[in-house]
Amino acid sequence: MAELLVEVGALASASSTKARQVLIDQRLREPAIAAVLDATPQGLIGARETLLLEMARYQPNARSSAADLTALVRIYLLSRIDVMWWRDAGTFLTDIEVHHSVDLVDLDWLRRRDLLHFRYTEQPRTLVGRGVRALRRRVLPDATPRTAGLLFRRARREVVALLNDIGREFAAVTPAGTPPLWVTSLVRSAEHQYRLRRLGYAAMVPSGHCLGWAVDLEMEWFGRYGVRDTLAGLLLNRQRSGEINVVDEGQAWHVCLAPTATARLRRAYEAEMGI
């Protein structure tokens, strides 16, 4: 993977399009990469075609977490681990499905009962709400992360347990006054994923977000408190233990729960909620 990214970076110019395609053809057939891609619903050939199309369409912009072609390839390939893990999971196709799914719980209900060890903000739904958000950012520009907020304040029970677990661990190893863990994205519908793509975000498809098993955690903002690396270490330790997949996307890190961890986390959720 590291070698592939170096080679992609060396072939980043527009005149190297053909050479990049040859490189991708060769590298994706290497056993370590091919084994993952072949186990996704698209298979190796489908994943290859999707990646080449993503590269051909790529245009850098301020909204995208992919700062360059190298970042795009890295994000795409690492996110295929999510898709491999959850290849048999159903996708939330529409916004309505997300709002009404019995597999998801309402975070606001849990927050009002002080049952969450992480924070989030919702996207403003009205013109007045957007105005208030803009004013707050001008007056207190660094009080909260610069994120659009959640469109859906819903999550799987196991994901809530994971975030609570990480949130408690983060609070235990950081100085007093450090803000709690901050979640910038949770479950998304495929409908919303395509909406994000049209706006220029590096929203990959298929995506662990549309399966309900992936989240994005704010990282950059915690640098002002000197604890960004602390949070990164906690996440990477969990990745090494096989509990999560982690993709560094710059301002936020993408985190997907592994299927092998769901049973433990479901029990943890039920114990926390007194079920």
Side-chain angles (χ1 to χ4, degrees):
M1 183 72 172
E3 292 175 1
L4 168 60
L5 296 178
V6 169
E7 292 166 343
V8 169
L11 298 172
S13 66
S15 62
S16 301
T17 302
K18 183 63 177 178
R20 284 198 305 268
Q21 182 172 334
V22 172
L23 170 66
I24 294 297
D25 284 341
Q26 294 173 342
R27 285 296 195 177
L28 296 196
R29 287 181 168 81
E30 293 185 1
I33 299 177
V36 172
L37 300 183
D38 204 40
T40 65
Q42 286 184 300
L44 173 59
I45 301 302
R48 168 193 171 277
E49 293 302 315
T50 299
L51 177 56
L52 289 174
L53 187 58
E54 293 282 357
M55 294 173 72
R57 291 177 172 175
Y58 174 73
Q59 293 289 335
N61 67 84
R63 286 174 169 164
S64 177
S65 57
D68 52 31
L69 270 177
T70 302
L72 179 77
V73 172
R74 177 176 52 79
I75 290 169
Y76 177 80
L77 290 179
L78 291 178
S79 69
R80 296 312 87 189
I81 295 173
D82 304 3
V83 180
M84 174 190 69
W85 277 349
W86 295 105
R87 57 186 174 271
D88 297 324
T91 297
F92 293 104
L93 296 175
T94 67
D95 294 357
I96 292 174
E97 285 186 27
V98 174
H99 284 301
H100 295 286
S101 173
V102 296
D103 295 324
L104 305 174
V105 292
D106 188 307
L107 295 184
D108 243 23
W109 189 91
L110 297 174
R111 180 167 62 176
R112 288 195 299 270
R113 288 154 180 80
D114 200 27
L115 293 171
L116 298 182
H117 294 271
F118 58 92
R119 288 185 185 171
Y120 61 90
T121 187
E122 292 184 69
Q123 289 187 20
R125 303 298 178 96
T126 65
L127 185 61
V128 172
R130 289 193 290 272
V132 170
R133 171 76 62 85
L135 177 61
R136 187 179 296 127
R137 282 181 174 171
R138 283 199 297 271
V139 175
L140 299 168
D142 298 313
T144 60
R146 295 191 67 83
T147 173
L150 305 182
L151 180 62
F152 308 105
R153 62 169 191 258
R154 313 201 76 212
R156 291 188 183 272
R157 294 161 178 83
E158 297 87 346
V159 170
V160 172
L162 172 69
L163 293 172
N164 274 346
D165 207 11
I166 297 172
R168 280 189 293 264
E169 188 178 9
F170 183 55
V173 298
T174 52
T178 302
L181 184 73
W182 197 289
V183 178
T184 62
S185 184
L186 283 162
V187 63
R188 302 175 193 155
S189 65
E191 178 182 3
H192 184 53
Q193 191 79 346
Y194 281 104
R195 197 180 297 139
L196 292 174
R197 288 175 63 82
R198 289 192 294 272
L199 291 172
Y201 291 94
M204 301 301 174
V205 290
S207 168
H209 285 286
C210 302
L211 305 173
W213 294 109
V215 305
D216 291 342
L217 300 180
E218 175 65 33
M219 296 295 291
E220 186 177 280
W221 181 65
F222 283 109
R224 64 183 287 105
Y225 298 94
V227 295
R228 181 193 180 281
D229 290 345
T230 302
L231 179 54
L234 296 180
L235 297 177
L236 293 174
N237 284 340
R238 287 175 182 264
Q239 177 172 257
R240 283 189 285 270
S241 73
E243 183 177 79
I244 59 175
N245 181 39
V246 174
V247 184
D248 179 350
E249 296 188 351
Q251 178 184 342
W253 280 20
H254 172 96
V255 174
C256 183
L257 180 60
T260 53
T262 56
R264 178 185 71 79
L265 289 168
R266 183 59 177 258
R267 291 192 298 270
Y269 176 87
E270 293 174 352
E272 283 187 70
M273 306 304 157
I275 299 175

